[in-house]
Amino acid sequence: MPELSKAELDRCLKEAIGIAKLAGLFMLDCMERNKELTAESKSTPVDMVTEYDKKVEDMILTRLAKEFPDFDMLGEESAYANGPPKLTNKPTWIVDPIDGTLSFMHKSFDCCTSIGLAVNKKAVLGVVYSPGLNELYTGVKGQGSFCNGVPLQVSPQTSLKNSLVSTHFPSFTRSPAFVDSLFNVWKELMKVPTQGCRAYGSAAIDMCSVAKGRLDAYFEVGICAWDVCAGAIIIEEAGGLVLDITGGEFDLENRRLLCTSSPELAKEILTIVKKLDLSTAKL
Ligand code: IPD
């Protein structure tokens, strides 16, 4: 599939920013009014969806479909409507209406809307808007990435001992074997030691934090394309690395990633992260 032209990407960015800001208004309205939420669980008892996830996704996909009738669409809450989702090479909007649903339900700051665009299954454009943080992140292939209009640059960190690292205990599994294995990796990271480990609630925000240089690395198993498409291009355009958790090439459909500020840091952290027992992950 041919790449999109600069003019096409400019239009995509403009539309995605407008839509992400609108999604943010929905989220803020709910959070500030302390609204009672209706929520259901999905794949596990802690993998949640609220009526806002559905409402916001509906709004985003309807608007994008109207503006870009020839593009494919993949939204978290409707992704499994026709069986397991599969990306095509066509330009595809990949949308997480509320990334960090659990945080959103608890009125915590770390939730956002993430709108990514992939062509040939690779991220080419991303918009992440967190109304709680009042941060709008954008990134376009070959054009740099920005937070509230200010250019982003990853941290200059090359060594694990000076790094702040984030990982999450994902909602897709809390099997004792997986949680133990992840805690073992966490323990080892603390013993190296890193300066600190964090576990926030939104993959997209943590990826933007790596792009902004306030985290040096973030890794997770179990994430989906809608969690990471926008963040991937935002990091790459800020000079960072997005890899598979094994150190290989990142694949939007592989459900695992490691992001770092530098190849040196990736090499060092991989020696520990590779000990995560992926056979316990039950993807
Ligand atoms: C989740 C968040 C969370 C990550 C999970 C994701 P959701 O997305 O990004 O931080 O740990 O793996 O599924 O379900 O809130 O959109």
Side-chain angles (χ1 to χ4, degrees):
M1 197 77 197
E3 295 292 327
L4 296 174
S5 67
K6 172 148 186 341
E8 285 169 313
L9 285 171
D10 286 350
R11 189 167 85 85
C12 291
L13 183 63
K14 186 166 165 270
E15 293 299 332
I17 290 175
I19 293 172
K21 283 187 173 168
L22 190 56
L25 289 180
F26 277 66
M27 290 165 73
L28 262 190
D29 175 62
C30 170
M31 289 165 94
E32 284 178 353
R33 284 196 293 140
N34 213 12
K35 257 197 96 194
E36 188 84 8
L37 283 169
T38 312
E40 304 153 39
S41 56
K42 298 188 285 184
S43 59
T44 67
V46 291
D47 181 14
M48 306 303 290
V49 55
T50 69
E51 81 259 36
Y52 271 81
D53 295 74
K54 294 180 189 167
K55 194 158 78 177
V56 175
E57 175 160 314
D58 200 41
M59 181 279 286
I60 296 174
L61 295 189
T62 305
R63 284 173 186 250
L64 288 174
K66 186 162 169 268
E67 291 297 326
F68 304 95
D70 297 334
F71 287 16
D72 279 354
M73 304 275 173
L74 181 61
E76 175 177 19
E77 309 309 342
S78 47
Y80 288 89
N82 302 311
K86 198 85 198 92
L87 284 177
T88 68
N89 286 333
K90 278 176 68 179
T92 305
W93 288 109
I94 303 183
V95 173
D96 193 338
I98 302 182
D99 183 53
T101 298
L102 225 52
S103 293
F104 175 68
M105 286 171 63
H106 290 269
K107 317 283 186 285
S108 181
F109 67 94
D110 49 344
C111 53
C112 64
T113 292
S114 175
I115 303 179
L117 178 65
V119 178
N120 297 319
K121 301 180 192 161
K122 301 261 185 249
V124 295
L125 178 149
V127 172
V128 171
Y129 180 51
S130 166
L133 293 168
N134 192 21
E135 289 177 344
L136 173 74
Y137 291 88
T138 59
V140 179
K141 193 174 172 192
Q143 298 183 33
S145 53
F146 300 83
C147 175
N148 295 342
V150 178
L152 290 170
Q153 175 65 53
V154 293
S155 79
Q157 205 46 255
T158 52
S159 129
L160 193 52
K161 72 174 175 9
N162 296 322
S163 293
L164 189 60
V165 177
S166 165
T167 189
H168 301 178
F169 287 82
S171 45
F172 80 95
T173 179
R174 291 290 166 85
S175 83
F178 179 74
V179 173
D180 283 349
S181 177
L182 190 52
F183 260 116
N184 286 338
V185 167
W186 183 297
K187 274 198 267 184
E188 205 169 321
L189 285 170
M190 291 306 280
K191 286 177 196 162
V192 168
T194 58
Q195 277 185 338
C197 288
R198 299 285 184 267
Y200 300 111
S202 153
I205 292 181
D206 279 13
M207 293 179 81
C208 290
S209 293
V210 173
K212 201 173 197 292
R214 68 183 169 203
L215 283 174
D216 303 299
Y218 159 65
F219 66 93
E220 185 165 347
V221 179
I223 37 79
C224 294
W226 43 83
D227 300 308
V228 297
C229 180
I233 189 72
I234 291 171
I235 293 187
E236 284 170 355
E237 287 297 317
L241 255 73
V242 183
L243 301 169
D244 185 88
I245 206 165
T246 57
E249 198 186 335
F250 171 66
D251 180 335
L252 272 174
E253 296 183 289
N254 249 0
R255 305 198 58 186
R256 44 199 213 188
L257 95 165
L258 166 69
C259 322
T260 65
S261 57
S262 67
E264 294 87 347
L265 184 55
K267 194 169 168 213
E268 197 180 354
I269 199 170
L270 270 167
T271 59
I272 299 172
V273 168
K274 272 184 174 171
K275 295 181 188 170
L276 186 60
D277 181 358
L278 295 174
S279 72
T280 61
K282 284 201 225 128
L283 290 176

